[in-house]
Amino acid sequence: MAEDAARKLLPAFDTPTGMPFGTVNLLKGVNPTETPVTCTAGVGTYIIEFATLSRLTGNPEFERVARHALKGLWESRSEIGLVGNHIDVMTSKWVAQDAGIGAGIDSYFEYLVKGAILLQDEEMMSMFLDYNKAIQNYTKYDDWYVWVQMYKGTVSMPIFQSLEAFWPGLQSLIGDIGNGMRTFLNYYTVWKQFGGLPEFYNIPQGFTVDKREGYPLRPELIESAMYLYKATKDPTLLELGRDAIESIEKISKVDCGFATIKDVRDHKLDNRMESFFLAETIKYLYLLFDPDNFIHNDGSEFDLVVTPYGECVLDAGGYVFNTEAHPIDPAALHCCKQDNTEKWEVEDLVREFFAVKPKTEKFRKEKADDLKQQDSFLTGTQNRTKTKHTSALHCPSQPFSSKLSILGQVFLE
């Protein structure tokens, strides 16, 4: 089903630049009248899901188009290393030239980091680190991040957007804990001012922006708190979690759920509840206060799955969340990827070809037992054991590409 759904998205990538259209009809493909203008995040937020699908199915097309889209954005960056907000996917021309870390751009940066960790991809990490240098040079002021003109670096909007609150958590994933905490504390002061994060906050004026006063119970600040707490154990991060729970419970709770806050100044409510409140906000709050959850596993425990071809280590931690907070186990992705199965099958054929054994009754019995063992693995769980192990060792010595993220930090050589 996942592969079928992804195939229906592929026509969107059929552009001269490889960057996809923002909308595709799942039955008929891209509408001939579809606008070629797509936000940066809409172009750059495929690699986690599409690469996972490619590796599980053995079809490289999904990962290929996602990487091509990332490359299209990378090659379209300005001379000072920034990307804008919206781009024409037919011509690579920037339509909106405001550069920042918020709406329209945010998950592009998120997926470069998380894609690098999930896929052990040094190139993606290198791309992000180059972007990060430009972001720090041109958009950062007193641990706030503003919007600037992508070609000149001049400030265009001295605004903090609530969607930007994911950034401190992302900084923790590359090991930049100090900058992440300082920026987080800036954002936390806004939360304490209103009991939530307004969609837009004017930094010089210290107040909300007209017609952007709402708080739809977004998860980004709580997400950052979870990552930073995992890395630092700083109790301030638990205080944010407590404040979030109390605010949401006191202000937003209604008979049928939790309503969007229409205006953080007077806490008027809107008649809607966004899906990301359940998918992300509540999930990150839960994980913030549950340090023993399997999601936080540090590798000291893991499940060992025995297959006819060898042992697979699963649930050892290091889960990578996609932008909607769905966790992916990197170990499972590595163990279950299709080319592993094909490699094992080839190895079996080679072993059988070169095996020189007399076809005695004992040999026939051994062969029958082997086939029965493999068949039971493929059709059931008789030969599939799942045993919890406790590691007595730290991570063994590995090449750089294999130790990108441990306990919320990336170790760069």
Side-chain angles (χ1 to χ4, degrees):
M1 182 182 293
E3 185 176 8
D4 183 58
R7 286 185 184 278
K8 294 179 184 297
L9 299 178
L10 289 180
F13 292 84
D14 187 15
T15 66
T17 66
M19 294 184 282
F21 285 96
T23 304
V24 59
N25 186 300
L26 297 181
L27 183 62
K28 300 179 180 180
V30 178
N31 191 308
T33 63
E34 174 66 25
T35 175
V37 178
T38 305
C39 72
T40 303
V43 172
T45 310
Y46 289 92
I47 190 62
I48 289 178
E49 292 85 355
F50 272 31
T52 296
L53 189 59
S54 278
R55 297 185 184 207
L56 293 180
T57 63
N59 183 347
E61 183 65 9
F62 306 113
E63 183 171 347
R64 185 192 70 80
V65 298
R67 286 184 179 276
H68 197 185
L70 291 177
K71 184 178 179 181
L73 286 173
W74 173 251
E75 292 178 347
S76 300
R77 70 195 187 282
S78 70
E79 290 185 359
I80 62 174
L82 297 173
V83 290
N85 197 271
H86 283 75
I87 194 169
D88 187 316
V89 299
M90 301 298 287
T91 65
S92 296
K93 292 183 179 179
W94 290 100
V95 177
Q97 298 181 1
D98 292 311
I101 60 172
I105 302 177
D106 46 5
S107 54
Y108 170 45
F109 295 140
E110 176 188 2
Y111 268 41
L112 285 176
V113 172
K114 291 182 177 179
I117 294 171
L118 179 66
L119 305 174
Q120 301 291 277
D121 191 294
E122 294 184 53
E123 183 182 15
M124 271 191 277
M125 182 60 75
S126 178
M127 290 164 63
F128 174 79
L129 293 176
D130 280 354
Y131 278 130
N132 192 44
K133 290 177 184 176
I135 289 167
Q136 302 299 321
N137 287 338
Y138 294 102
T139 75
K140 184 179 179 182
Y141 292 86
D142 294 330
D143 297 312
W144 295 93
Y145 293 86
V146 299
W147 290 82
V148 302
Q149 211 283 338
M150 65 174 290
Y151 292 105
K152 300 177 182 178
T154 54
V155 176
S156 58
M157 292 188 297
I159 300 296
F160 158 60
Q161 298 178 355
S162 61
L163 286 169
E164 297 171 13
F166 84 101
W167 188 257
L170 196 68
Q171 288 179 298
S172 79
L173 289 179
I174 65 167
D176 193 1
I177 305 298
N179 280 322
M181 277 299 299
R182 287 188 292 273
T183 297
F184 176 88
L185 293 174
N186 278 347
Y187 298 166
Y188 188 18
T189 61
V190 179
W191 179 287
K192 289 190 285 188
Q193 184 178 351
F194 297 104
L197 289 185
E199 292 286 64
F200 283 22
Y201 179 81
N202 188 300
I203 298 170
Q205 295 179 5
F207 208 65
T208 60
V209 174
D210 187 41
K211 298 182 180 179
R212 293 292 188 272
E213 304 94 346
Y215 171 53
L217 309 182
R218 292 195 184 278
E220 284 76 15
L221 188 63
I222 299 164
E223 174 188 3
S224 284
M226 183 201 74
Y227 280 118
L228 286 167
Y229 185 71
K230 185 176 178 181
T232 68
K233 304 303 181 185
D234 189 324
T236 303
L237 300 156
L238 296 181
E239 293 174 13
L240 176 278
R242 177 203 61 200
D243 291 348
I245 291 172
E246 292 177 351
S247 293
I248 292 170
E249 184 78 11
K250 180 179 179 180
I251 300 170
S252 299
K253 188 175 182 179
V254 293
D255 291 341
C256 297
F258 292 85
T260 287
I261 300 174
K262 189 174 184 178
D263 191 326
V264 295
R265 297 171 301 179
D266 56 19
H267 295 166
K268 289 181 180 179
L269 301 180
D270 203 354
N271 187 23
R272 60 187 296 161
M273 183 177 77
E274 301 289 349
S275 62
F276 54 68
F277 172 69
L278 295 178
E280 300 181 70
T281 307
I282 297 301
K283 185 182 296 181
Y284 287 131
L285 269 174
Y286 184 91
L287 291 173
L288 174 62
F289 288 104
D290 185 17
D292 297 325
N293 192 281
F294 74 94
I295 288 288
H296 298 312
N297 194 349
D298 62 1
S300 59
E301 291 188 346
F302 53 86
D303 291 328
L304 193 65
V305 177
V306 180
T307 78
Y309 308 104
E311 297 179 341
C312 278
V313 174
L314 302 177
D315 296 327
Y319 288 87
V320 175
F321 285 102
N322 77 347
T323 195
E324 298 298 330
H326 302 305
I328 299 173
D329 183 355
L333 181 60
H334 174 75
C335 182
C336 301
K337 64 183 180 180
Q338 188 67 27
D339 57 356
N340 269 354
T341 304
E342 294 170 354
K343 180 183 70 175
W344 290 335
E345 290 173 353
V346 170
E347 289 175 353
D348 277 353
L349 289 172
V350 171
R351 277 196 296 268
E352 289 181 10
F353 183 80
F354 286 104
V356 180
K357 288 187 177 181
K359 292 189 176 181
T360 62
E361 185 63 30
K362 180 180 179 182
F363 171 73
R364 291 191 185 97
K365 184 176 184 301
E366 290 175 350
K367 189 65 178 176
D369 290 342
D370 288 343
L371 292 173
K372 183 178 179 181
Q373 182 184 37
Q374 292 189 24
D375 184 62
S376 68
F377 170 75
L378 295 172
T379 59
T381 58
Q382 296 176 6
N383 190 51
R384 181 187 173 109
T385 60
K386 192 174 182 182
T387 308
K388 184 70 73 175
H389 286 254
T390 300
S391 174
L393 302 173
H394 295 293
C395 292
S397 179
Q398 301 175 32
F400 161 76
S401 61
S402 297
K403 53 182 180 182
L404 276 172
S405 177
I406 298 175
L407 290 178
Q409 293 191 25
V410 172
F411 297 90
L412 305 177
E413 292 179 350

